[in-house]
Amino acid sequence: MTENARTTPGAVRTVACVGAGVIGGGWVAHFLGRGYRVVAWDPAPDAESRLRGLVASAWPALENLGLAEGAAMANLRVADTLAEAVSEADFVQESAPERLDLKIDLLAEIDAATPEGVVIASSTSGYSMSEMQVRARTPERLVVGHPFNPPYLVPLVEVVGGERSERWAVDWASDFYRAAGKSVISMERELPGFIGNRIQEAAWREALHMVAEGEATVEQIDLAMTSGPGLRWAFFGPCLTFHLAGGEGGMAHMLDHFGPSLKSPWTRLEAPELTAELRDRMVAGTDEVVAGRSTAELIAQRDRRLIAVARALEEVERAEAAERTGGEA
């Protein structure tokens, strides 16, 4: 915590959400479900009706997840002006359309109207904060808080500052998002597309290549993911998954044994050179994630989670089938 911030991350009570489209509305629903008071603003003439409709449609899912104490849709207020929306905010989440000129002007306007010491985060999925903070009077408090859609269900948010952001703002935002129930990646430097988007974009581009070349159908590609690696990736990412592929030798054995296949024509993406330095960094990073767990422990954990995911999907599929037929689940 720093003296620059007006309040601590855990003491936030009022969140301002600027922009009430799909992402902004999803943020509003999330913050309401976590028990915050939310003041929203969007310049569209029908913004309030659309926003309240979005929150109402998301509310059953939030109830299913479990609402925080005091959570209520009645805690939403839609302001008439941007200045009114941010005037009493403890945190500001901007979710305007992805246009750089718009983001630059809007963040400068938000910065000018928001009380001193309040952190301002942008939901941008494509622009760096360095690009967007150029007109802000106090750019040191501006950060990116990049969510995944829908923000009220997908927990990930990637936090990163720009060249003129200060570290305290990145740390404060990261701590706040964690307090608000998010899984947070606090990035050390800016990266086009952030982390999650780059990984899913790689899979997406390869899928397009396979369809374009007649190598696989859309149905086959989606089934290959949902019945294959996608199940494991729900709880073990690609790095830990490949660590287990190395057996007792872990990541080191996997890289030493399968490393040459990186040059095989399995993907249109060019593989990096598997240098000794890259190998060692992957092994060391995996060791940190493993945190002393044995291969047997990891396999048992993986299998329990695979079974839980499979059972949950079967339960949902039975309920959906019953809805379609009008029968009992």
Side-chain angles (χ1 to χ4, degrees):
M1 180 59 189
T2 173
E3 66 275 8
N4 297 73
R6 191 173 69 163
T7 188
T8 62
V12 171
R13 293 294 174 266
T14 301
V15 176
C17 289
V18 177
V22 172
I23 297 299
W27 271 123
V28 169
H30 172 75
F31 290 131
L32 288 171
R34 299 297 299 185
Y36 296 100
R37 295 187 296 268
V38 179
V39 184
W41 177 80
D42 188 295
D46 61 342
E48 181 167 2
S49 60
R50 284 190 294 105
L51 176 58
R52 293 192 182 278
L54 189 154
V55 171
S57 67
W59 207 252
L62 288 166
E63 289 178 321
N64 220 1
L65 281 175
L67 297 172
E69 184 178 352
M73 288 188 284
N75 289 336
L76 169 62
R77 179 168 66 87
V78 178
D80 292 327
T81 66
L82 185 152
E84 178 190 348
V86 302
S87 63
E88 298 180 1
D90 299 314
F91 174 74
V92 180
Q93 185 78 45
E94 172 271 315
S95 306
E98 284 289 289
R99 278 180 30 216
L100 182 56
D101 59 339
L102 174 63
K103 294 278 195 185
I104 290 172
D105 290 344
L106 181 59
L107 285 171
E109 188 177 352
I110 293 171
D111 178 52
T114 301
E116 183 179 354
V118 173
V119 174
I120 300 165
S122 174
S123 299
T124 183
S125 58
Y127 299 119
S128 69
M129 182 47 70
S130 292
E131 294 176 291
M132 298 186 295
Q133 65 189 173
V134 291
R135 289 191 53 227
R137 179 177 54 84
T138 55
E140 61 272 12
R141 60 173 169 169
L142 270 61
V143 302
V144 167
H146 171 239
F148 273 70
N149 191 38
Y152 58 87
L153 288 181
V154 181
L156 181 62
V157 59
E158 297 167 313
V159 183
V160 64
E163 293 175 359
R164 300 170 67 192
S165 305
E166 293 187 2
R167 188 68 214 182
W168 71 263
V170 175
D171 293 341
W172 190 99
S174 298
D175 288 344
F176 165 69
Y177 284 126
R178 290 188 187 98
K182 285 295 194 178
S183 296
V184 178
I185 295 175
S186 188
M187 299 173 63
E188 295 300 321
R189 60 179 182 174
E190 295 179 295
L191 179 69
F194 311 104
I195 298 171
N197 274 348
R198 291 176 75 101
I199 294 171
Q200 75 174 359
E201 179 71 11
W204 174 235
R205 291 186 183 189
E206 186 58 35
L208 293 175
H209 275 300
M210 285 189 282
V211 171
E213 297 297 325
E215 298 161 343
T217 66
V218 169
E219 181 181 19
Q220 289 170 334
I221 290 167
D222 278 2
L223 184 61
M225 182 61 75
T226 59
S227 294
L231 285 175
R232 298 180 304 203
W233 289 352
F235 46 84
F236 283 176
C239 297
L240 201 53
T241 294
F242 279 123
H243 170 73
L244 288 181
E248 291 296 335
M251 179 64 78
H253 176 71
M254 195 283 298
L255 289 172
D256 293 341
H257 187 71
F258 295 105
S261 69
L262 287 171
K263 299 302 182 182
S264 299
W266 289 0
T267 173
R268 277 75 171 184
L269 295 173
E270 184 176 349
E273 194 67 35
L274 186 56
T275 62
E277 180 189 7
L278 177 56
R279 174 201 178 277
D280 292 347
R281 285 174 62 186
M282 288 299 300
V283 171
T286 304
D287 287 344
E288 289 181 12
V289 174
V290 169
R293 289 172 290 176
S294 69
T295 299
E297 288 175 311
L298 288 169
I299 289 173
Q301 188 179 52
R302 178 198 64 193
D303 291 354
R304 283 194 300 269
R305 295 182 181 196
L306 273 172
I307 291 168
V309 170
R311 285 177 174 168
L313 288 173
E314 287 174 1
E315 182 180 342
V316 171
E317 287 166 359
R318 283 197 302 270
E320 290 173 343
E323 289 174 1
R324 288 193 296 271
T325 60
E328 295 292 327

